[in-house]
Amino acid sequence: MKKLTIALMLVLMAGAAAFAQEAKTKERPTPEERAQKQTEMMAKQLELSEAQKAEILAINLENAKKREAEMEAKRAEMDAKRAEMSARREEMKAQDEAIKKVLTEEQRAKWEELKESQRHRRGRRPGGEIRERGEMPRRRGDN
């Protein structure tokens, strides 16, 4: 009985994993598909004529293509920022390694402590603290 239960659980888990992967690989619809779907929905709800449908399809298609181009530009910008941050991290690691080579063992330990204390302080900047509403400074003109 135990073996049957375990086998059943394994089959169910494998099925769930396959379903989860299938959901992740689902592709986004093209601008044309999105425009067509939106136009069909509008035609159904608003009872559009064929001429209206054609005009609205053109408008929806133009806007869908525009949004797609904007999203691609944003993706490219984010990729560039990630690459820049990665390069900065590598530069900082190289700088840190160069500094460690110059320092004695005692100085290295102290250097690590200083860096750790700076990491903790970065998270607690005065403007970054979460405050209760009553503690918020009032602006001029607020009653």
Side-chain angles (χ1 to χ4, degrees):
M1 187 66 178
K2 267 187 175 179
K3 288 181 182 180
L4 181 63
T5 305
I6 291 172
L8 184 60
M9 288 177 55
L10 286 173
V11 169
L12 288 173
M13 288 173 40
F19 181 75
Q21 285 199 354
E22 183 180 313
K24 287 182 184 178
T25 60
K26 188 176 180 181
E27 292 184 25
R28 290 175 38 113
T30 65
E32 291 80 11
E33 291 169 339
R34 287 194 309 269
Q36 184 67 40
K37 185 175 180 180
Q38 185 178 14
T39 303
E40 289 299 325
M41 184 223 21
M42 290 176 72
K44 190 175 185 178
Q45 292 178 346
L46 302 174
E47 299 174 7
L48 301 176
S49 69
E50 288 301 316
Q52 289 174 314
K53 256 176 91 170
E55 286 184 50
I56 289 176
L57 177 61
I59 293 168
N60 287 340
L61 183 58
E62 179 183 334
N63 286 317
K65 286 181 178 179
K66 185 177 175 183
R67 284 192 302 272
E68 184 76 18
E70 289 170 355
M71 288 300 293
E72 287 300 320
K74 285 182 181 180
R75 280 188 201 111
E77 185 180 325
M78 289 301 294
D79 289 343
K81 284 183 180 181
R82 277 190 206 103
E84 183 181 337
M85 289 301 291
S86 179
R88 282 186 186 162
R89 261 187 241 110
E90 292 301 318
E91 285 177 14
M92 290 174 70
K93 283 181 184 178
Q95 177 188 4
D96 194 47
E97 290 301 316
I99 289 172
K100 284 180 182 178
K101 287 179 182 176
V102 174
L103 300 176
T104 65
E105 192 62 40
E106 253 180 46
Q107 291 170 327
R108 263 188 239 125
K110 194 170 183 179
W111 172 246
E112 290 298 326
E113 286 177 25
L114 286 170
K115 287 193 314 184
E116 190 62 33
S117 70
Q118 287 175 349
R119 278 189 204 111
H120 287 294
R121 276 190 288 164
R122 256 185 259 141
R124 296 192 182 121
R125 291 183 181 160
E129 291 178 311
I130 298 174
R131 301 179 186 176
E132 291 295 320
R133 183 75 179 152
E135 298 175 32
M136 300 284 286
R138 292 186 175 253
R139 294 181 295 197
R140 286 176 73 183
D142 284 352
N143 290 332

